[in-house]
Amino acid sequence: MKIERAAVIGAGVMGAGIAAHFANAGIPVVLLDIPAKEGDRSAIAKGAVAKMLKTDPAPFMHRGAAKLVTTGNLEDDLHLLGDVDWIVEAIIENPAIKADLYKRIDPVRKAGSVVSSNTSTIPLAVLTEGQSDRFKSDFLITHFFNPPRYMRLLEIVGGPQTRPDALAAVAGIGDRRLGKGVVHCKDTPGFIANRIGVLWIQAAVNAAIDLGLTVEEADAVGGRPMGIPKTGVFGLMDLVGLDLMPHIAKSMLATLPADDAYRGVMREHPVITKMIAEGYTGRKGKGGFYRINKAGGGKVKESVDLRTGAYAPSEKARLESVSSAGRDLRKLCEHPDKGGQFARRVLAQTLAYAASLVPQIADSIVAVDEGMRLGYAWKQGPFELIDRLGTAWFAELCKSEGIPVPALVEIAAGRPFYRVEDGKLQHLTTAGVYDTVVRSDGVLLLSDVKRAAGKPVWKNASASLWDIGDGVLCVEFTSKMNAVDGDIMAAYGRAMKLIGDGKGDWKALVIHNEADNFSVGANLGLALFALNIGLWPQIEEMVEAGQRTYRALRYAPFPVVAAPSGMALGGGCEILLHSDHVQAHAETYVGLVEVGVGLIPAWGGCTEMLARHAKNPRAPRGPMPAVAKAFEIISTATVAKSAAEAKELLYFRSSDGVTMNRDRLLADAKAKALQLAENYTPPEKDSFVLPGPTARAALELAVEGFALQGKVTEHDKVVCAALADVLSGGPDADASKPVGEDAVLELERSAFMKLVHTNGTIDRIEHMLLTGKPLRN
């Protein structure tokens, strides 16, 4: 069956977010809620859409997606359900109210349409009780995580009467169109992620209070060292809302087995109860475990004392266990200080609980690990974490903490839960044997390629070249934060030599990696070192080498396809601008942000943005509009917060591709590279009609206007003047004479070198390296 149109019933935060994400995927969606008591009867649904257009982080990937949402109410507009293929119910967690709704929508919905409930607290059998056989065959549970745009997990549960093709259709669209990691769960309380996640949070809160840790100390241990987001547990609770936890606890306790371990860790803490009662429910309230105190006009970050409930200025955690352990999880747990004790207690309880639930909640450890990675943003799932500790060591940890050793850990008998055999990743089953981890059709992961290959085609300290099959070579960045340096440029050069004219063993190049971010830009640390010792020729050569390499890739006799995800900033953005095609993950954040460190894009970024805006068919004609638009975007360091926004800003072309599911990104990029390679012809060089000094004066006048409003600093004016000179074509430009791209590249280099000689730019680079934030000097 095909799913081409959808509906969401319930315009609360979750329901509205699901509707927005359908729209992000290009799927027309109906959003219904109860009629408003006064005025426009569809005001609730309409208000939800209007609110989402103002929300940050934005539920919509671009404002135009909101046009795909049709709003209405449940009394006047039920007939709209007759034209949709999938109806998602996201109303209050009350079985009786849901049952009444189902009986109302069943007669009006399209034959063969799917109905699902976005719940993790009510069993499917309870939801379908008293419903028609037709309804039961079309019904399943689809548990999205909040916020639906950003959280990748989609848990799916079918019932004994659910049609297999309905399950397959929802899983397929969830994967390919909505970009979700689809995990099939069993119909048990909390399914996978919340079942484990709720116990983990409770265990961490208990341990922090019992051991006398501050919230900063608990989050320092229970965050990055464990491969958990830097928010840690208390930061996470602030994000989702403290008041949500008692509701989840109540629901879990009502449905969990009598001997479930969660019952043993569930405790109410007076300080937290008092915080909730007084409105300190986290970021949505007056604050939570952390808050910003704006008294006296300042902004002081404060945290709560878990013993007294009093707030005080936050202090950075300083624990020997964290500083000495680094990334060694076992070393962290073995440390005798309170941080080590906290790690032991939380990991023992959480990981033992997860291991005890297979196969009760899912058939394999792979599904459980996937659920926690995608639902709670853990870097590694529970069984991957146990492998970091060692299964035998973990069994002893459980015994020392008074926790029964899970049967699955005993089955492992010292063996890892995951291993690599003949280049393939395998997982341990409940039968005690290893099975190969199977990817969905159309998924190609670079990590699997690397596992199978064993070693790259070529590598250096910052990049590797991998054979991804069918004559396609892949450049992978491996530097810290994927910052671009000379070694990455060398890798591009090596790739071009290997591929040659594209008619031999190699046909095309893909640029891709599986890090959190594609690239944060040039290596500023190296640049600052060179500046401090006055290596001006080397700095200029770095700029020239970048321009040469990027232009060589742009005009290479074979196609270059970039496949970014996460952040692609500065020099990382510039390589995208020079690629024949960009196949981007939908959540790619792109921008030329060099002005933040007192520089301008000088690896061809200015040149490429000029070319794109000059060719934009929607822009006014004449030389000035392209110059003005490129200046506006670069001077304000505008960052596109989605691939869709990147197209609007022309960081991406309209022809560039967008992949919703990150796991499918490399396969899509490879397919495009092979398609382009069939009859590839390099692009022609660009030339520009640039207005010269008059345009520069106009741009500088606009900057002065912003300076008078206090929006532009003194050094901003210096940087903007350099940028205006480049984009307008320099002092000798004349609108009657075309300017070649080589001339604009020379202007980039000249402006860059002038700026690196200024104290303001050096101060900005130092400040960025020290604080991670731009200096407003």
Side-chain angles (χ1 to χ4, degrees), residues 221 224-227 320-322 324-337 339-345 347-348 351 380 384-398 400-401 414-416:
V221 178
R224 284 176 171 166
M226 292 185 186
E320 173 64 23
S321 52
V322 174
S324 66
R327 296 184 180 182
D328 190 330
L329 191 59
R330 189 190 295 187
K331 188 175 181 181
L332 174 69
C333 291
E334 289 175 337
H335 200 283
D337 75 1
Q341 295 175 53
F342 176 83
R344 284 197 299 278
R345 189 175 299 185
L347 287 174
L351 303 184
Q380 296 169 306
E384 292 166 315
L385 287 171
I386 293 174
D387 276 354
R388 282 180 63 189
L389 296 169
T391 52
W393 189 91
F394 180 71
E396 293 304 314
L397 173 65
C398 290
S400 69
E401 292 290 326
R415 296 175 294 165

Side-chain angles (χ1 to χ4, degrees), residues 184-439:
H184 292 273
C185 312
K186 296 186 178 180
D187 192 12
T188 56
F191 305 139
I192 293 175
N194 279 347
R195 179 75 173 271
I196 297 168
V198 169
L199 179 133
W200 161 61
I201 291 172
Q202 186 67 55
V205 172
N206 294 349
I209 292 174
D210 293 346
L211 295 169
L213 274 76
T214 66
V215 293
E216 291 92 345
E217 289 171 336
D219 285 347
V221 178
R224 284 176 171 166
M226 292 185 186
I228 289 162
K230 65 180 181 180
T231 58
V233 170
F234 291 102
L236 176 65
M237 290 177 70
D238 276 357
L239 186 63
V240 301
L242 277 65
D243 54 334
L244 180 63
M245 303 314 296
H247 292 294
I248 294 176
K250 181 179 179 182
S251 172
M252 296 290 280
L253 291 171
T255 54
L256 287 172
D259 61 348
D260 192 85
Y262 177 71
R263 297 185 183 277
V265 302
M266 179 55 203
R267 283 159 48 188
E268 289 189 23
H269 296 285
V271 165
I272 298 176
T273 303
K274 183 171 181 287
M275 288 173 65
I276 295 171
E278 294 178 353
Y280 289 95
T281 55
R283 296 187 187 183
K284 66 182 180 181
K286 296 189 289 185
F289 295 107
Y290 300 96
R291 73 175 185 183
I292 301 297
N293 189 342
K294 299 180 181 178
K299 287 186 178 182
V300 178
K301 184 178 181 181
E302 296 182 335
S303 57
V304 77
D305 187 314
L306 293 171
R307 296 164 300 174
T308 66
Y311 282 94
S314 289
E315 295 185 8
K316 186 176 181 180
R318 291 176 173 82
L319 292 168
E320 173 64 23
S321 52
V322 174
S323 59
S324 66
R327 296 184 180 182
D328 190 330
L329 191 59
R330 189 190 295 187
K331 188 175 181 181
L332 174 69
C333 291
E334 289 175 337
H335 200 283
D337 75 1
K338 59 183 179 180
Q341 295 175 53
F342 176 83
R344 284 197 299 278
R345 189 175 299 185
V346 173
L347 287 174
Q349 290 180 316
T350 304
L351 303 184
Y353 187 56
S356 72
L357 293 173
V358 178
Q360 179 186 338
I361 61 173
D363 289 325
S364 76
I365 65 170
V366 177
V368 173
D369 282 345
E370 185 90 337
M372 293 310 295
R373 284 197 306 269
L374 300 182
Y376 278 77
W378 288 13
K379 293 289 185 186
Q380 296 169 306
F383 295 95
E384 292 166 315
L385 287 171
I386 293 174
D387 276 354
R388 282 180 63 189
L389 296 169
T391 52
W393 189 91
F394 180 71
E396 293 304 314
L397 173 65
C398 290
K399 293 174 185 176
S400 69
E401 292 290 326
I403 298 170
V405 178
L408 205 52
V409 175
E410 291 184 330
I411 288 171
R415 296 175 294 165
F417 282 110
Y418 292 94
R419 72 177 188 184
V420 177
E421 192 75 12
D422 297 327
K424 295 181 179 179
L425 183 64
Q426 296 184 333
H427 67 94
L428 191 67
T429 69
T430 54
V433 298
Y434 287 95
D435 274 352
T436 299
V437 174
V438 179
R439 306 296 184 195

Side-chain angles (χ1 to χ4, degrees), residues 588-613:
T588 302
Y589 304 84
V590 192
L592 295 170
V593 296
E594 285 85 350
V595 296
V597 288
L599 297 169
I600 65 160
W603 283 341
C606 295
T607 307
E608 286 299 315
M609 290 302 282
L610 269 178
R612 293 191 177 199
H613 285 282

Side-chain angles (χ1 to χ4, degrees), residues 376-525:
Y376 278 77
W378 288 13
K379 293 289 185 186
Q380 296 169 306
F383 295 95
E384 292 166 315
L385 287 171
I386 293 174
D387 276 354
R388 282 180 63 189
L389 296 169
T391 52
W393 189 91
F394 180 71
E396 293 304 314
L397 173 65
C398 290
K399 293 174 185 176
S400 69
E401 292 290 326
I403 298 170
V405 178
L408 205 52
V409 175
E410 291 184 330
I411 288 171
R415 296 175 294 165
F417 282 110
Y418 292 94
R419 72 177 188 184
V420 177
E421 192 75 12
D422 297 327
K424 295 181 179 179
L425 183 64
Q426 296 184 333
H427 67 94
L428 191 67
T429 69
T430 54
V433 298
Y434 287 95
D435 274 352
T436 299
V437 174
V438 179
R439 306 296 184 195
S440 300
D441 289 342
V443 169
L444 176 65
L445 301 181
L446 188 57
S447 54
D448 287 342
V449 171
K450 292 161 65 174
R451 222 178 266 117
K455 63 179 183 178
V457 174
W458 181 90
K459 70 174 292 186
N460 61 22
S462 297
S464 299
L465 304 182
W466 296 95
D467 179 355
I468 60 173
D470 301 312
V472 181
L473 199 61
C474 178
V475 174
E476 177 197 26
F477 306 154
T478 56
S479 58
K480 184 177 180 181
M481 296 187 73
N482 287 338
V484 182
D485 57 17
D487 281 344
I488 287 177
M489 294 298 178
Y492 289 137
R494 184 63 178 173
M496 284 187 276
K497 286 182 180 179
L498 286 171
I499 301 174
D501 61 4
K503 300 184 186 304
D505 293 337
W506 305 102
K507 303 174 184 176
L509 180 67
V510 167
I511 305 169
H512 173 72
N513 62 72
E514 291 177 350
D516 288 343
N517 294 307
F518 179 75
S519 174
V520 296
N523 189 322
L524 291 177

